[in-house]
Amino acid sequence: MRTQVGIVGAGPAGLFLSHLLQRAGIDCVVIETRSRKYIEERVRAGVLEQESSDVLRQMGLGARMDREGLIHHGINLRFNERLHHIDFQDLVGKGVMVYGQHEVVKDLVQARLDSGAPLLFEVSDVAVDGLDTKTPTVRFTHQGQAQELVCDFIAGCDGFHGICRPAIPEGVLKTYERTYPFGWLGILAQAQPASEELIYSNHDNGFALLSMRSPELGRLYLQCDPEEDLANWPDARIWEELNLRLAGGKGLPEGPILQKGVTQMRSFVVEPMQYGRLLLAGDAAHIVPPTGAKGMNLAFADVRVMARALDAFYRDGRDDQLAAYSEVCLRRIWKAQRFSWFMTSLMHRFPDDSAFDRRRQLADLDYLTGSRAAMTSLAENYVGLPMEWALS
């Protein structure tokens, strides 16, 4: 098999890249180790920055998002038993779209299959080599047959645990990582959300988040130990703690819990995001805590930079944008890491915090919600910073 760009991974990064390349007339093949059913049902966070949702619309991929997604013009911060609204529309004139990542994946998968472009599920034995040559290769097995895909470039969009990043020779990448001393116990509940917009709560017992997937489905989270045993959290205890942290014990709308799980909080970045003809994107290159709602948006930003660079290469014979790929992406990534760290530090209780630290944290929240300048800074980061196409 021969293609211009081999895309390893059919998550948001790989699928969105495939549409950007197809739009530019660049051939690509997407391969994925999981089944279509698995990737379409894997529940992840789902907040799209304004620019992310705008681009989906421009590409003709936003029809179902606009029918079923929820436009939010702000968020709520809760502390000291009081609710404070941050009005994005008033502060920066933008908003966000609440639309599950798995729903975005469904739309991208269906559009690619409808186009007839190659998208191979349930491949195995994936390996990449020849990365420092002009014809890097992706080898894999599909439907029992060994396959070799010869490419001009490989896009590593296969996530944190994928094979692309480890294929880069030892010593090339520098890793920056922080693991937080807590996790999120997340649930999907058949219950009407108690608020039309997200509630981030800082409580003496720890952080809580009220989010939603639809007017009938709530997505809620509790700060917990990263090694927490779900057996210690029966449904009744989860609702009791959610009520306490999010509503002062006054009673949230409750319903059957459809899913529950614990997610470890981590910040992770590798530099550079490229080696030879291999370009990394999304979780393969970086992870942010979900507190800042940046994961899928960063993946989209990466592949927009990548697609632009590949278009310049094929259309104009230029390789300067490819050479600058990492540097351009990392400027945005580190700003998103800073914001995600800020939101995580602002809203969570840390095990080693002193009484002084606790009072300082509450003072930070009091200042933020009382200062238009501080709220504007939060709003412009949350709705998404402008894309930086070139180095200043």
Side-chain angles (χ1 to χ4, degrees), residues 195-213:
S195 169
E196 292 185 358
E197 295 179 331
L198 276 65
I199 300 176
Y200 287 78
S201 177
N202 179 309
H203 190 272
D204 287 342
N205 285 16
F207 169 74
L209 172 64
L210 184 151
S211 183
M212 61 286 294
R213 287 295 171 266

Side-chain angles (χ1 to χ4, degrees), residues 31-33 120-127 138-148:
I31 66 168
E32 169 60 47
T33 60
L120 309 181
F121 291 107
E122 299 182 78
V123 306
S124 59
D125 306 318
V126 182
V138 184
R139 293 185 171 85
F140 59 93
T141 300
H142 184 238
Q143 297 179 343
Q145 297 294 318
Q147 303 280 351
E148 182 176 282

Side-chain angles (χ1 to χ4, degrees), residues 3-18:
T3 192
Q4 290 174 301
V5 182
I7 302 175
V8 182
L15 289 167
F16 191 48
L17 175 62
S18 74

Side-chain angles (χ1 to χ4, degrees), residues 267-280:
S267 298
F268 173 85
V269 182
V270 293
E271 297 184 4
M273 293 168 55
Q274 59 196 113
Y275 171 75
R277 292 291 185 99
L278 170 66
L279 307 171
L280 302 176

Side-chain angles (χ1 to χ4, degrees), residues 52 91 93 122 147 153 156 230 257 260 313 329 339 344 372:
S52 295
L91 294 164
E122 299 182 78
Q147 303 280 351
F153 297 91
L230 286 175
I257 294 178
K260 67 174 76 171
F313 177 83
C329 289
F339 178 66
T344 301
R372 185 174 180 88

Side-chain angles (χ1 to χ4, degrees), residues 306-382:
M306 188 190 302
R308 186 181 174 93
L310 289 167
D311 186 44
F313 177 83
Y314 285 112
R315 186 181 301 275
D316 303 320
R318 294 171 49 193
D319 60 7
D320 56 315
Q321 291 188 31
L322 282 168
Y325 170 71
S326 283
E327 194 170 355
V328 172
C329 289
L330 286 165
R331 289 182 65 182
R332 186 181 188 88
I333 289 161
W334 278 112
K335 289 172 185 174
Q337 288 285 3
R338 182 210 67 82
F339 178 66
S340 299
W341 169 86
F342 164 74
M343 289 290 289
T344 301
S345 301
L346 183 71
M347 302 306 302
H348 290 75
R349 298 298 312 277
F350 285 73
D352 57 352
D353 276 357
S354 65
F356 176 90
D357 293 321
R358 179 60 175 153
R359 297 296 295 175
R360 177 198 50 76
Q361 187 183 54
L362 293 172
D364 281 343
L365 284 160
D366 191 34
Y367 168 72
L368 170 62
T369 54
S371 165
R372 185 174 180 88
M375 288 190 290
T376 300
S377 176
L378 186 152
E380 70 176 1
N381 279 274
Y382 201 101

